[in-house]
């Protein structure tokens, strides 16, 4: 049976912490598919969200969320307990503190790609730190200057917004894509862009499907904690949330 695609509530409002939903299916692996989800599903280097589901007569810890067939999201239980049945009305409760830290790190990584304007070959987001891999044959000479530039962008408290363009518009503007290893998802007819700043104060615009804070000031202070050589051309730059 073909299920309808899960409505991505986190895309409509990344700050939504609770929301009702209906169970529309179970995957063969034991995932719970909902008609709508505040849980971000693992993709693009950002981990799936955790939290819990609550329904009359039961509740279940959710360890993560993953993409499933047909555009659905499957919630993965954190323990082997009974799942809510298909058709059940449930309340989704997000582990907000963990998600918000992912949002802060994710937006900080977009800013890192501004202060290091080199092609990105990979990346990973965590709750305390994140990293980008760059096509960078030589290490930066002045890490302190990079830290200062990064935190100066954060301190400007720039607004973060989104817009959508067509697949054709993205193909006509390949410079929008900073990542060499991850191609923005196309085939849906449109691609989401995340913009940092506005008008003359814009500092970044790139395709992204993840969750972000509303303004850069919300990130707090960050620090480039490590730069590692990963192959002949690649260097991994890690940053950490300081507060």
């Amino acid at each position: 049976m073909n299920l309808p695609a899960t409505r991505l509530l986190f895309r409509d409002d990344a700050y939504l912490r609770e929301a009702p939903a209906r169970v529309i299916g179970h995957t063969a692996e034991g995932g719970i598919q909902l008609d709508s989800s505040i849980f971000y599903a693992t993709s693009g280097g950002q981990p799936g969200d955790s939290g819990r589901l609550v329904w009359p007569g039961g509740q279940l810890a959710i360890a993560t969320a993953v993409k499933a067939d047909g555009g659905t999201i499957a919630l993965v239980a954190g323990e082997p307990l009974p799942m809510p049945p298909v058709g059940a009305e449930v309340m989704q409760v997000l582990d907000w503190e963990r998600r918000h830290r992912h949002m802060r790190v994710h937006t900080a990584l977009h800013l890192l790609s501004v202060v290091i304007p080199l092609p990105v070959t990979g990346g990973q987001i965590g709750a305390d730190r994140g990293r980008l891999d760059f096509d960078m044959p030589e290490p930066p000479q002045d890490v302190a200057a990079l830290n200062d530039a990064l935190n100066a962008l954060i301190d400007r408290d720039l607004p973060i917004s989104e817009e959508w363009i067509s697949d054709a518009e993205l193909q006509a503007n390949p410079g929008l894509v900073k990542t060499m290893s991850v191609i923005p998802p196309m085939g849906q007819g449109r691609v989401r862009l995340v913009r940092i700043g506005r008008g003359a104060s814009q500092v970044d615009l790139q395709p992204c499907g993840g969750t972000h804070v509303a303004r850069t000031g919300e990130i707090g202070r960050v620090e480039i904690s490590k730069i590692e050589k990963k192959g002949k051309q690649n260097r991994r730059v890690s940053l950490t949330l300081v507060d």
Side-chain angles (χ1 to χ4, degrees):
M1 183 179 71
N2 292 326
L3 299 176
T6 301
R7 183 183 168 204
L8 309 181
L9 298 180
F10 59 81
R11 183 68 49 75
D12 299 332
D13 181 1
Y15 289 80
L16 201 57
R17 305 183 190 198
E18 296 186 4
R22 182 173 58 84
V23 179
I24 58 172
H26 296 144
T27 67
E29 297 78 20
I32 304 159
Q33 295 159 293
L34 304 180
D35 63 347
S36 61
S37 176
I38 62 173
F39 293 85
Y40 179 84
T42 304
S43 62
Q46 181 172 333
D49 286 324
S50 55
R52 68 183 193 277
L53 292 181
V54 182
W55 66 96
Q59 65 173 304
L60 187 63
I62 299 301
T64 190
V66 297
K67 292 182 177 181
D69 292 340
T72 62
I73 286 178
L75 307 184
V76 179
E79 47 196 341
L81 293 174
M83 295 190 295
V86 173
E89 300 292 333
V90 298
M91 180 60 71
Q92 309 172 71
V93 182
L94 194 64
D95 180 345
W96 170 246
E97 184 176 344
R98 177 173 178 264
R99 150 71 86 73
H100 189 238
R101 293 180 75 85
H102 288 163
M103 290 162 62
R104 291 167 61 197
V105 170
H106 197 160
T107 308
L109 290 177
H110 278 223
L111 292 178
L112 181 64
S113 76
V114 173
V115 300
I116 303 179
L118 295 172
V120 175
T121 58
Q124 190 67 44
I125 295 157
D128 297 307
R129 61 186 59 85
R131 52 93 172 168
L132 288 179
D133 297 346
F134 291 95
D135 184 5
M136 182 194 297
E138 298 299 326
Q141 297 298 310
D142 193 341
V143 177
L146 291 177
N147 266 317
D148 289 345
L150 188 55
N151 284 288
L153 286 173
I154 291 169
D155 290 343
R156 286 172 63 184
D157 199 28
L158 298 165
I160 290 112
S161 57
E162 66 172 51
E163 65 180 72
W164 294 82
I165 61 172
S166 68
D167 288 356
E169 287 174 302
L170 180 63
Q171 289 171 331
N173 292 277
L176 289 171
V177 181
K178 295 186 175 185
T179 53
M180 299 170 65
S181 59
V182 179
I183 303 300
M186 290 192 288
Q188 306 294 316
R190 62 178 194 158
V191 176
R192 177 181 182 248
L193 300 180
V194 170
R195 182 190 303 275
I196 302 180
R198 189 178 294 125
S201 71
Q202 179 181 310
V203 298
D204 191 50
L205 179 67
Q206 61 177 292
C208 182
T211 56
H212 291 271
V213 293
R215 304 187 69 90
T216 60
E218 202 174 322
I219 297 170
R221 183 163 181 79
V222 301
E223 183 177 275
I224 295 174
S225 51
K226 188 185 298 183
I227 298 179
E228 305 168 272
K229 188 171 182 178
K230 295 288 181 179
K232 186 178 179 181
Q233 294 278 114
N234 280 293
R235 293 186 193 272
R236 176 166 295 172
V237 181
S238 299
L239 62 76
T240 302
L241 296 178
V242 176
D243 51 34

